[in-house]
């Protein structure tokens, strides 16, 4: 891949392809996305509350949206993304069992992500600077959409029971 200095793409070929850099132990988390559909293309994953579509071919890099919302101003002492004085960053829960966030509408997908770079730990999860989708949980109501997303994002599909640590052989 081409080298890029764009913070959304990362700063080299590894980040562009969604590979966790050598020597980094990533955080592992669980999240939910809205399904974003365009005419005649497979659905894509979008953040529930921001207009961020997760790329299928590279790492997602966090940007602080506060300057857009607050007309160019960041919080006092804001040093990077994410920052403890702000709400920016890529969010994930620590455990696979979590409630759908209030206000999130429409069809959704759930999966597993790896996060790295700067991070802020919270009581039920974390926010990080870079993230990559590593697996999706099968939606038993709409498995064909799950498998279409998995193909687009080049990730495996896990049984919903696997999210609770139950191997499929034991569950059946």
């Amino acid at each position: 891949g081409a080298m890029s200095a764009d913070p959304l793409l990362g700063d080299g070929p590894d980040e562009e392809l969604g590979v966790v850099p050598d020597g980094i132990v990533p955080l592992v988390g669980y999240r939910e996305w809205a399904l974003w559909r365009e005419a005649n293309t497979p659905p894509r994953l979008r953040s529930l509350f921001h207009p961020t579509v997760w790329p299928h071919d590279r790492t997602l890099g966090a940007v602080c949206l506060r300057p857009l919302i607050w007309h160019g101003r960041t919080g006092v002492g804001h040093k990077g993304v994410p920052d403890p004085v702000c709400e920016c960053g890529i969010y994930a829960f620590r455990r696979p069992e979590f409630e759908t966030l209030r206000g999130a509408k429409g069809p959704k997908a759930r999966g597993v992500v790896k996060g790295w770079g700067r991070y802020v730990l919270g009581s039920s999860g974390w926010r990080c600077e870079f993230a990559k989708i590593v697996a999706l949980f099968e939606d038993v109501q709409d498995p064909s959409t799950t498998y279409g997303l998995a193909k687009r994002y080049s990730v495996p599909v896990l049984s919903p029971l696997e999210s609770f640590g139950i191997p499929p052989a034991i569950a059946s």
Side-chain angles (χ1 to χ4, degrees):
M3 296 291 265
S4 171
D6 186 326
L8 290 175
L9 299 179
D11 57 6
D14 288 347
E15 289 81 0
E16 189 174 316
L17 296 173
V19 175
V20 178
D22 287 341
I24 301 295
V25 177
L27 298 166
V28 175
Y30 305 88
R31 60 171 289 133
E32 190 169 52
W33 297 270
L35 296 184
W36 187 61
R37 299 180 191 270
E38 293 178 297
N40 304 320
T41 64
R44 294 173 69 187
L45 299 172
R46 181 180 160 174
S47 296
L48 290 174
F49 301 105
H50 297 290
T52 303
V53 175
W54 280 58
H56 67 279
D57 57 352
R58 64 180 186 270
T59 294
L60 176 65
V63 290
C64 182
L65 298 176
R66 190 179 182 116
L68 300 173
I69 298 164
W70 295 93
H71 309 293
R73 295 187 310 238
T74 58
V76 175
H78 196 292
K79 302 224 181 342
V81 177
D83 195 287
V85 303
C86 192
E87 296 176 0
C88 58
I90 301 164
Y91 283 72
F93 289 97
R94 281 197 190 129
R95 302 196 181 284
E97 60 280 358
F98 59 88
E99 297 293 319
T100 292
L101 298 170
R102 280 195 310 258
K105 296 178 174 37
K108 296 170 196 58
R110 285 187 174 204
V112 183
V113 294
K114 287 185 177 177
W116 66 95
R118 289 176 60 95
Y119 65 89
V120 176
L121 297 177
S123 58
S124 61
W126 44 263
R127 303 182 272 139
C128 68
E129 182 177 9
F130 300 106
K132 176 74 176 158
I133 301 165
V134 294
L136 293 171
F137 292 117
E138 183 178 6
D139 179 345
V140 294
Q141 308 296 320
D142 187 5
S144 64
T145 296
T146 306
Y147 283 91
L149 286 164
K151 184 176 180 183
R152 179 175 203 133
Y153 286 87
S154 302
V155 297
V157 174
L158 304 176
S159 141
L161 292 173
E162 287 179 86
S163 70
F164 296 101
I166 303 169
I170 294 171
S172 51

